[in-house]
Amino acid sequence: MTDFENDPDYEECLVTFFDVLGFRNLLHTRSGAEIRHLLSMFRRVSEGDATPPTRSDEMRMISEVHAEIVSDAIVRTRTIETQYQAGPLVWEIIDLLHIQIECVANGILVRGAMTIGHMHLGIDFSGPVFGPGLVQAYFMEEGEVIFPRIAIHEDVIERHRQDQTLWREGHSYADEERALNNLLRQDESGLQYIDYLRASLSETDGELAGWVEFLGRHKTLVENGFADSPNATVRRKYSWLKNYHNAVIDENLANLEPGAMTEDGDPWEYLFRELRIES
C-alpha cells in the first residue's frame, strides 16, 4: 500500500471538487465566450493571492492555490504544508465564498465538497493532478452534497480543531472557531457548508444596501429556477435554496433594530420582507 505520508511526490492539501449545475443548459443559452468567462472566474479567484511557486527542501514557503477545470467539473487545491502559516482553511473558505458570490452574480449555481488529503500537484503545479484527497472529495460531492452548496468534510473540521498548522500564526483556536462560525452553517444531519448568503454581508463591507442587492439577485435566480425546471429532482434543489434563502432573511429580520430606516427613509424591515421567496 502506498505510504502517502512519506512519498515525496505527494503533499497534503485542502481539496475541493465541485461542478456547475445546469451546465448543459448553459451550453445552449450562452455563447462560448460567455462560458469561457464564467469558468475563468474560478482561476481568477484562485490566482488572486498566487505568487511564483517557491519551495524549500521540505515544503512550500506559503499556501498556494491551483485550479483544474474540465467542462463543468472543477478541482481546486490549496497547499497546507508550508513554512509560513496564514490560516489556510479559513483563507480557502473565504475564497470559495467569493466564488459562490460571483456565481450568483452571473446567474449560476455550484455544488461542491472540500476534503483534506494527499495530492500530486508537481512543485510548479505542472501536474498531473491526482491523489486520495481528490477521490474523497469527488465521492463526497457525488454522494452526499445533494443541494447547491459547498460542504466541508467532517475530517477537515476535526483536523482543524487539533492541528495548529491550519491556524493563522498568532491565533488561538477561539479565534479560528469564531472565523469558521461566521462562514459556515450546519444542517440537521450535522453537515457543515459555506453559509454564502449570510457571510456575503461582510464581503459587502457590512453595507446592507449592497447585501440587499445581492440577496435580490439570489431571489431572482431561485425564482427563475423554479419557473424553468419541470424536473422534480431539480425542483427539490431549488426548494432547498428557497428555504435557505428565507431562513437567512428571517434571521436578519429578527436582528434588525426596530424602526431602522435606509438613507432614503424606507424601512429596512419592508425591504427584507420583500426579499422573501413566497412561490
Side-chain angles (χ1 to χ4, degrees):
M1 179 175 289
T2 302
D3 182 0
F4 297 108
E5 192 76 34
N6 295 308
D7 189 326
D9 284 331
Y10 287 95
E11 58 186 304
E12 262 199 313
C13 298
L14 295 168
V15 185
T16 307
F17 180 89
F18 47 141
D19 69 294
V20 178
L21 301 183
F23 191 75
R24 184 181 302 175
N25 181 62
L26 286 179
L27 289 174
H28 294 286
T29 57
R30 305 204 187 183
S31 69
E34 288 175 313
I35 294 173
R36 182 180 67 245
H37 176 78
L38 289 173
L39 294 179
S40 294
M41 91 170 82
F42 294 93
R43 286 209 172 96
R44 287 200 302 275
V45 172
S46 299
E47 293 168 354
D49 45 54
T51 60
T54 54
R55 188 169 182 165
S56 69
D57 290 340
E58 297 297 329
M59 63 176 63
R60 300 181 189 276
M61 299 294 291
I62 62 171
S63 179
E64 299 174 72
V65 171
H66 179 67
E68 290 280 341
I69 302 170
V70 179
S71 191
D72 61 331
I74 297 99
V75 179
R76 182 180 163 100
T77 56
R78 179 179 288 278
T79 60
I80 62 174
E81 296 178 1
T82 59
Q83 293 190 44
Y84 175 71
Q85 298 301 326
L89 177 59
V90 171
W91 192 3
E92 181 64 4
I93 290 174
I94 290 173
D95 269 5
L96 295 180
L97 167 63
H98 279 273
I99 286 173
Q100 287 180 289
I101 291 172
E102 284 205 44
C103 284
V104 170
N106 283 278
I108 60 176
L109 297 166
V110 294
R111 183 182 67 200
M114 178 198 287
T115 63
I116 189 168
H118 286 87
M119 293 289 294
H120 177 278
L121 304 174
I123 292 177
D124 59 354
F125 295 122
S126 59
V129 175
F130 60 90
L134 173 55
V135 172
Q136 185 183 43
Y138 170 78
F139 280 109
M140 180 181 179
E141 189 274 339
E142 186 76 8
E144 298 181 46
V145 189
I146 300 169
F147 304 117
R149 55 187 176 179
I150 299 177
I152 314 298
H153 196 284
E154 60 186 7
D155 289 352
V156 177
I157 303 298
E158 184 59 31
R159 173 72 175 273
H160 177 256
R161 184 178 292 113
Q162 300 177 8
D163 187 352
Q164 295 186 26
T165 65
L166 292 176
W167 306 355
R168 188 175 184 87
E169 288 191 10
H171 270 199
S172 65
Y173 180 66
D175 296 324
E176 292 285 315
E177 185 178 38
R178 189 178 308 112
L180 287 186
N181 287 341
N182 289 332
L183 293 166
L184 301 180
R185 179 179 289 249
Q186 190 173 59
D187 71 11
E188 62 279 358
S189 72
L191 184 68
Q192 300 222 46
Y193 59 96
I194 298 175
D195 190 1
Y196 67 92
L197 287 181
R198 179 173 62 93
S200 59
L201 173 59
S202 63
E203 302 309 306
T204 56
D205 298 322
E207 292 285 343
L208 283 180
W211 195 45
V212 164
E213 182 181 348
F214 172 72
L215 291 173
R217 288 197 297 267
H218 191 264
K219 175 184 179 180
T220 299
L221 179 58
V222 176
E223 290 177 335
N224 289 343
F226 271 120
D228 299 337
S229 301
N231 183 289
T233 300
V234 175
R235 289 182 64 83
R236 280 193 290 271
K237 294 174 182 177
Y238 281 102
S239 181
W240 180 88
L241 274 177
K242 169 188 170 181
N243 292 336
Y244 168 45
H245 177 99
N246 285 344
V248 172
I249 296 295
D250 292 344
E251 289 164 9
N252 187 70
L253 282 168
N255 293 323
L256 275 178
E257 293 184 13
M261 309 285 282
T262 70
E263 292 182 357
D264 296 329
D266 298 317
W268 280 114
E269 180 180 0
Y270 172 77
L271 293 179
F272 278 104
R273 290 195 184 281
E274 286 294 298
L275 288 169
R276 293 189 93 260
I277 302 171
E278 304 298 344
S279 59

